[in-house]
Every structure is written in structure tokens, then in C-alpha cells.
Amino acid sequence: MTHQNREEQMSWTTEILRSGVALDVASDDFGALGVPGTWYRVRQGSCVALTTRNRGDALRLFQRRAFRASGV
């Protein structure tokens, strides 16, 4: 099973949505992505840009993408 298939099986909740860019969060109690714990991902539409355990990294990428998408 690929990383993407395991990721799709998890129950993701959108934490922040701005300018079409989403920061999603999921709890992986069974280690489906390799390491149990909380995971974060940044996506624009169906394209996932990053999946990480580090919330700070996810937030920084989310802010850059949302700023770029807003055209400000």
C-alpha cells in the first residue's frame, strides 16, 4: 500500500480554509503513515503539497500558499 493510499484512508478534518488552500489535521493512532500521532497536510483542491507531523512547517507552507493564491 502506498503512502497516498494510507493517507486517503485516514479521517482528515479541515482546520483552516483560505483562498482555496486547506490545512487538514488527522490523528493516526495505528501508525498508518508510519508513525502514530497527529499529522497535518496542506492541500490546494485535491493536490496535496505537504504531509508532516510538524504543525509549524504545515502552517508556514499554508500561509505562503494562501497569500500567493489570494493575489495580494
Side-chain angles (χ1 to χ4, degrees):
M1 184 178 294
T2 68
H3 177 80
Q4 184 177 4
N5 289 342
R6 287 185 291 239
E7 192 176 317
E8 289 171 1
Q9 290 179 342
M10 295 175 61
S11 179
W12 292 91
T13 302
T14 299
E15 188 173 298
I16 306 171
L17 179 62
R18 188 174 301 139
S19 300
V21 181
L23 174 65
D24 301 330
V25 63
S27 180
D28 181 11
D29 297 330
F30 303 105
L33 292 178
V35 179
T38 303
W39 285 84
Y40 302 91
R41 75 178 178 188
V42 177
R43 65 179 171 79
Q44 193 162 7
S46 62
C47 179
V48 175
L50 173 74
T51 302
T52 182
R53 297 232 14 240
N54 187 315
R55 189 171 193 272
D57 288 346
L59 282 171
R60 280 187 289 280
L61 180 61
F62 170 81
Q63 288 173 335
R64 283 196 304 268
R65 295 250 170 154
F67 181 76
R68 195 175 313 140
S70 71
V72 175

